[in-house]
């Protein structure tokens, strides 16, 4: 859903020290901090994953010696929701509220970066001025470093960084973040929604029209001017014409041009979002086979390109799972 709707879905493949097995979990796009100038995550010089961790989970990882056993303190809670939280709340129609401090989680920054640490570098890279890949984890509030861990395989002479993230991109864009149906059909959907509301409002005003009336005509025994079916309401207006005392507002009908415009927008949206659903079998019964095949290929090009990208991403995810099992083969039979 994140891939098709928002254009980008992120999976993280890693060995969980608590569950003691490789896992592949979805990561919120706003929690992964990278440069928008990247082509792929494999070319990133630094990747930061922002996670919320319960105090009990953090303490458990410290007892397992996965993190340094250093005092962290109580996590702090922001006084105001962030801009992202406020925007989400506005879209969902709810009110963004600050969490109870007793239920606050630690904010953990897991950073894949390059550091020049000659003390821990292999012999052939010592004093060469070459930053090597490491994984650095920091607790945000206390700014305590929880771990600095080598991020290359021990048998890798080139010391290339291990990968943990897989990006599922719907349509490639100019930067790292892809385009989804929200970007492709967003304006079309908003236009159709506004047009449908115009139609509904037009019908509402046609059935329940507003009106203007003379102040003298408004001094009646009742202010109910809406007449029920089969009944009548009397107005005390003297000898003047009823049309001189009450006048309906001149609401304008939408007309055929507006209807044609809505149909055009609907067709445009169908061509943008449903290009693979073209009826190639309709029309001439004696159409050449090559023409029909060409129409099918043309109709499935966008969908085929999306599926190729998703298959490549899933292939990378399975490859990373295989590497995680190679690092901990006992996970196959541990449980």
């Amino acid at each position: 859903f994140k891939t098709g709707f928002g254009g980008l879905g992120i999976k993280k493949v890693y060995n969980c020290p608590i569950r003691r097995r490789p896992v592949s979990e979805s990561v919120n796009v706003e929690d992964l901090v990278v440069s928008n100038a990247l082509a792929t995550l494999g070319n990133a010089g630094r990747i930061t994953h922002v996670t919320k961790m319960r105090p009990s989970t953090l303490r458990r990882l410290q007892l397992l010696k996965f993190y340094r056993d250093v005092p962290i303190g109580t996590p702090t809670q922001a006084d105001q929701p962030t801009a992202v939280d406020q925007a989400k709340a506005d879209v969902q129609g709810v009110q963004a509220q600050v969490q109870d401090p007793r239920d606050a989680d630690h904010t953990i920054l897991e950073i894949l970066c390059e550091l020049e640490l000659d003390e821990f570098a292999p012999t052939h890279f010592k004093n060469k001025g070459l930053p090597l890949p490491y994984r650095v984890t920091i607790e945000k509030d206390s700014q305590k470093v929880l771990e600095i861990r080598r991020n290359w395989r021990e048998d890798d002479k080139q010391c290339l960084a291990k990968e943990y993230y897989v990006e599922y991109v719907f349509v490639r864009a100019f930067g790292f973040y892809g385009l989804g149906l929200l970007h492709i059909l967003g304006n079309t959907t908003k236009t159709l929604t506004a047009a449908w509301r115009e139609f509904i409002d037009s019908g509402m005003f046609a059935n329940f029209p507003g009106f203007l009336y003379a102040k003298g005509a408004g001094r009646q025994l009742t202010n109910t001017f809406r007449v029920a079916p089969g009944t009548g309401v009397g107005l005390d207006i003297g000898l003047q014409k009823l049309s001189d005392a009450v006048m309906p507002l001149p609401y304008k009908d939408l007309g055929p041009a507006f209807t044609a415009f809505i149909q055009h927008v609907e067709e445009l949206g169908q061509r943008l979002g449903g290009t693979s659903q073209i009826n190639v079998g309709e029309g001439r019964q004696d159409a050449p086979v090559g023409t029909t095949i060409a129409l099918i290929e043309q109709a499935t090009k966008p969908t085929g390109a999306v599926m190729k990208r998703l298959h490549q991403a899933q292939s990378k995810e399975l490859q990373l799972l295989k590497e995680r099992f190679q690092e901990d083969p006992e996970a196959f039979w541990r449980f």
Side-chain angles (χ1 to χ4, degrees):
F1 183 81
K2 293 178 181 178
T3 301
F5 184 72
L8 179 64
I10 302 292
K11 297 291 287 293
K12 182 180 180 181
V13 184
Y14 66 102
N15 281 313
C16 179
I18 295 180
R19 286 171 282 186
R20 297 193 297 162
R21 58 178 174 83
V23 295
S24 178
E25 295 178 338
S26 178
V27 175
N28 291 328
V29 178
E30 61 266 22
D31 292 338
L32 197 72
V33 184
V34 295
S35 171
N36 191 34
L38 293 176
T40 61
L41 284 177
N43 300 328
R46 182 170 62 197
I47 301 174
T48 302
H49 182 203
V50 183
T51 59
K52 294 291 185 179
M53 186 176 295
R54 298 197 310 273
S56 60
T57 304
L58 177 59
R59 185 58 185 159
R60 188 182 296 271
L61 290 173
Q62 288 180 324
L63 294 177
L64 289 174
K65 301 187 182 303
F66 188 78
Y67 288 159
R68 294 173 60 228
D69 193 358
V70 293
I72 298 298
T74 305
T76 59
Q77 186 70 26
D79 295 333
Q80 297 293 333
T82 64
V84 175
D85 295 335
Q86 188 63 47
K88 283 184 175 181
D90 294 340
V91 171
Q92 297 173 0
V94 299
Q95 183 178 1
Q97 296 180 351
V98 179
Q99 192 179 20
D100 191 324
R102 295 171 297 181
D103 300 330
D105 296 332
H106 290 284
T107 301
I108 305 298
L109 307 179
E110 185 182 273
I111 308 165
L112 302 181
C113 58
E114 296 176 341
L115 300 175
E116 189 175 346
L117 305 176
D118 289 333
E119 181 181 355
F120 305 101
T123 305
H124 56 285
F125 281 143
K126 285 185 180 294
N127 301 319
K128 300 294 185 180
L130 175 65
L132 296 178
Y134 290 89
R135 187 177 75 216
V136 182
T137 303
I138 302 173
E139 204 277 332
K140 182 180 178 182
D141 295 328
S142 64
Q143 299 186 1
K144 296 289 185 64
V145 177
L146 299 177
E147 70 163 348
I148 299 179
R149 197 178 298 270
R150 169 178 51 85
N151 192 33
W152 69 85
R153 294 196 309 273
E154 209 166 352
D155 58 348
D156 186 5
K157 300 300 182 181
Q158 296 295 324
C159 298
L160 299 178
K162 293 192 294 185
E163 295 188 46
Y164 297 91
Y165 300 96
V166 183
E167 66 267 29
Y168 284 82
V169 183
F170 193 74
V171 176
R172 283 288 181 189
F174 296 106
F176 169 71
Y177 300 97
L179 298 179
L181 294 177
L182 175 66
H183 309 88
I184 298 174
L185 297 177
N187 288 334
T188 304
T189 304
K190 291 176 66 176
T191 303
L192 285 176
T193 302
W196 291 338
R197 287 175 177 171
E198 290 284 341
F199 267 118
I200 295 173
D201 293 341
S202 176
M204 180 66 70
F205 285 124
N207 291 320
F208 304 101
F211 53 88
L212 302 174
Y213 62 91
K215 291 184 178 180
R219 300 188 183 97
Q220 308 294 322
L221 296 178
T222 176
N223 58 0
T224 303
F225 279 68
R226 186 172 297 170
V227 183
T231 63
V233 174
L235 296 179
D236 186 11
I237 59 174
L239 299 178
Q240 60 179 330
K241 293 182 180 179
L242 184 62
S243 59
D244 295 337
V246 180
M247 182 192 74
L249 289 173
Y251 295 118
K252 184 181 178 182
D253 193 10
L254 293 178
F258 193 76
T259 305
F261 168 72
I262 292 180
Q263 293 176 352
H264 172 71
V265 175
E266 289 179 348
E267 293 174 359
L268 175 64
Q270 290 175 356
R271 287 199 301 268
L272 287 175
T275 50
S276 63
Q277 298 177 4
I278 297 177
N279 295 323
V280 296
E282 304 294 332
R284 293 175 51 192
Q285 299 298 322
D286 57 344
V289 177
T291 303
T292 304
I293 294 177
L295 287 173
I296 295 175
E297 291 177 350
Q298 183 68 25
T300 56
K301 267 187 178 180
T303 307
V306 172
M307 294 303 297
K308 285 180 182 179
R309 279 189 289 270
L310 298 184
H311 276 291
Q312 290 175 352
Q314 190 177 37
S315 174
K316 180 180 178 181
E317 181 181 352
L318 296 176
Q319 181 73 21
L320 293 182
L321 272 175
K322 185 194 75 171
E323 293 177 4
R324 300 296 93 87
F325 274 112
Q326 287 177 341
E327 297 170 2
D328 185 17
E330 292 185 5
F332 272 119
W333 58 83
R334 179 174 289 133
F335 300 104

